[in-house]
Amino acid sequence: SMKPNHLLLAISLVVLSCGSDASAQSIVQIASSAGVSYFIKSDGSLWNGNEEIVSNNVVATAVNTSRGGFFIKNDGSLWAMGNNAAGHVGDGTLNDPDQPIQIVSSGVTAVACGQGFTIFLKDDGSLWGFGWNGDGELGNENISDEIMRPKKIINEGVTAIAAGYSHSLFIKSDGSLWGMGGNGCGQLGQGTNMDETHQPVEIVRSGVVSVAADRMHSMFIKSDGSLWGTGENEGGILGDCTIEWRYRPVQIVSNYVVAVAAGSHGNLFLKKDGSLWAMGSSWMTDFGEGIDFDSEKCPLRIVAPNKAAIVAGYYYNAKLKTCVSIGAGKFNNTPVNFKSTGSKTALVSSAASLPGYNLITIELLKNGDVRLTYSGDAGVNYALDRSSSLSQPDWASLVTNTAPVGGVLVMTNTPDTSKNNFWRIRAVR
């Protein structure tokens, strides 16, 4: 197929670690929490840093704040791994699994994690959960605080899920949005900051198409493209240009929003024109693009139209030790379809499957450098350039290499951790 002259890779917030190999597989999803990060490559393999956990057939992954990891295979089975000190992996024991263990054999289509609890959706529309239930996040006050095996919460009709620290959210097939669990900041949108609810309560009656959550706030998109938020608003995280906590949903953006990702201290959303926007506080961090986010109460555009791409995962570490959000793609005017997979770590694009283009793949090395892999034409010279902005690019050429036999080109760069880092690899004819 034809190869373009240049491609870009944008790291929106911070660089994410990603394995590079001869096939230059692209990343399709990332999940991070409590210093643990997993990512899925386009070949279906699951990775933790440079370690391959599962070789193929993984379609989704999530991590809870207890450092327990979960993933779904293409046969609909749900698997668990990692820390199980409190019995939160769902196998009924307190044993830390040395290898991934199967929790559900089939039918699972989505999984989301909170603070020591996990919820998942099955293909019959039923909602299930296990783990910590002390705040009612698993939706039943008649069972104990610890649910060590999967338990059904809703029989049918659920289409999407999300999880915050102590609350769960789900969308029904009629477009209604529901929630349960902690509500101390109004994250369930009931008009109060009552501590918790152990039964599902309706938040929005109709029209909701996508939902995301983190910490003590909730974000959702309606069918008209409007973006809404409710709950904690520390540092203006909801993006409504105030720092007032919202006990009922407030509209943040009126139209054209196609995807949203929620983080503990900041949110990202993508608009139909391909622009990427952010809002939130930098009392822990900033978004890494050189803009002061001490109190960014209103949404701020950080990537210009037609230059945003995959946004996947949200977890910040200023020293590039942990992956967060990544934009990875072609950055041209080719339309890309985005969809939310319903959790705080999850916006996935079909960009990798578009013909005629090659994606740059990146890997975070132990010394903090970033290794970029690109599939080019053997014998052609390629230049690696870097910019701190896409809206006003200041491309600086870093190095030029020649693609070897097979065309797999590997280049290394030390990112500037005080700014956003955008890379492109272009042919030098």
Side-chain angles (χ1 to χ4, degrees):
S1 61
M2 295 288 292
K3 294 182 173 65
N5 281 340
H6 67 274
L7 299 177
L8 308 179
L9 182 141
I11 309 305
S12 300
L13 308 190
V14 174
V15 182
L16 117 88
S17 74
C18 162
S20 63
D21 54 31
S23 59
Q25 296 290 338
S26 58
I27 291 177
V28 296
Q29 191 193 345
I30 304 101
S32 298
S33 184
V36 176
S37 303
Y38 296 98
F39 59 89
I40 303 171
K41 290 187 180 182
S42 57
D43 62 358
S45 58
L46 177 67
W47 296 72
N48 179 4
N50 294 327
E51 179 185 2
E52 186 180 56
I53 307 299
V54 180
S55 61
N56 54 45
N57 297 326
V58 177
V59 297
T61 185
V63 185
N64 66 28
T65 57
S66 299
R67 303 172 68 91
F70 302 86
F71 61 90
I72 303 171
K73 287 190 173 184
N74 62 2
D75 61 0
S77 58
L78 176 65
W79 297 71
M81 54 195 168
N83 181 36
N84 190 31
H88 293 162
V89 304
D91 68 340
T93 77
L94 297 175
N95 302 323
D96 290 343
D98 295 330
Q99 299 292 330
I101 56 174
Q102 188 180 98
I103 306 301
V104 180
S105 61
S106 64
V108 179
T109 60
V111 59
C113 295
Q115 191 172 24
F117 73 93
T118 300
I119 57 174
F120 63 91
L121 179 63
K122 298 194 73 173
D123 54 14
D124 61 1
S126 60
L127 175 63
W128 298 68
F130 54 87
W132 173 250
N133 187 46
D135 295 303
E137 45 270 84
L138 300 183
N140 194 323
E141 61 185 349
N142 298 318
I143 53 180
S144 67
D145 289 348
E146 298 282 350
I147 310 302
M148 296 178 66
R149 292 188 183 277
K151 184 175 181 62
K152 185 182 289 188
I153 302 169
I154 302 292
N155 289 327
E156 59 184 2
V158 178
T159 61
I161 59 175
Y165 274 23
S166 63
H167 70 292
S168 300
L169 301 171
F170 60 92
I171 302 173
K172 286 189 174 181
S173 55
D174 60 2
S176 59
L177 175 64
W178 297 71
M180 53 206 172
N183 190 46
C185 299
Q187 58 264 48
L188 297 183
Q190 298 302 294
T192 71
N193 63 336
M194 59 182 181
D195 288 341
E196 60 193 46
T197 175
H198 290 255
Q199 297 289 345
V201 293
E202 188 177 70
I203 302 171
V204 180
R205 181 165 297 178
S206 63
V208 179
V209 296
S210 181
V211 63
D214 200 318
R215 198 171 160 85
M216 292 171 285
H217 71 283
S218 306
M219 308 294 294
F220 60 91
I221 302 170
K222 300 190 74 173
S223 56
D224 60 2
S226 58
L227 175 66
W228 299 70
T230 185
E232 178 190 20
N233 200 16
E234 186 77 33
I237 191 172
L238 295 182
D240 66 344
C241 301
T242 78
I243 56 172
E244 297 179 23
W245 292 11
R246 298 297 185 176
Y247 300 147
R248 290 195 184 278
V250 294
Q251 186 178 95
I252 312 302
V253 180
S254 60
N255 51 31
Y256 300 124
V257 177
V258 295
V260 61
S264 58
H265 301 288
N267 295 315
L268 295 171
F269 65 89
L270 190 70
K271 298 189 79 171
K272 187 177 180 180
D273 63 2
S275 58
L276 180 66
W277 299 69
M279 58 270 198
S281 169
S282 68
W283 66 268
M284 280 186 65
T285 69
D286 64 21
F287 280 95
E289 73 304 308
I291 300 171
D292 182 7
F293 270 73
D294 275 342
S295 187
E296 193 54 55
K297 306 179 189 70
C298 299
L300 178 69
R301 193 182 76 182
I302 61 174
V303 177
N306 296 318
K307 293 180 178 178
I310 302 170
V311 180
Y314 184 83
Y315 186 88
Y316 185 85
N317 185 304
K319 300 300 182 182
L320 301 182
K321 303 296 185 182
T322 303
C323 57
V324 263
S325 289
I326 179 175
K330 298 160 296 302
F331 299 103
N332 53 27
N333 294 325
T334 304
V336 176
N337 296 319
F338 291 82
K339 66 177 182 178
S340 172
T341 61
S343 182
K344 57 194 170 191
T345 60
L347 300 183
V348 181
S349 168
S350 60
S353 64
L354 294 176
Y357 295 93
N358 300 313
L359 294 179
I360 302 171
T361 305
I362 68 172
E363 179 182 2
L364 179 62
L365 304 179
K366 290 182 179 180
N367 64 358
D369 287 350
V370 171
R371 183 164 59 198
L372 302 103
T373 304
Y374 175 71
S375 181
D377 291 319
V380 173
N381 294 327
Y382 289 89
L384 176 66
D385 300 340
R386 186 178 70 190
S387 172
S388 60
S389 170
L390 283 183
S391 58
Q392 295 180 328
D394 54 348
W395 294 111
S397 184
L398 304 175
V399 65
T400 300
N401 287 333
T402 302
V405 176
V408 178
L409 191 74
V410 178
M411 296 180 174
T412 301
N413 182 239
T414 301
D416 181 347
T417 59
S418 67
K419 299 178 180 179
N420 210 353
N421 289 267
F422 299 89
W423 288 278
R424 71 179 180 185
I425 294 178
R426 58 185 174 87
V428 181
R429 302 289 181 179

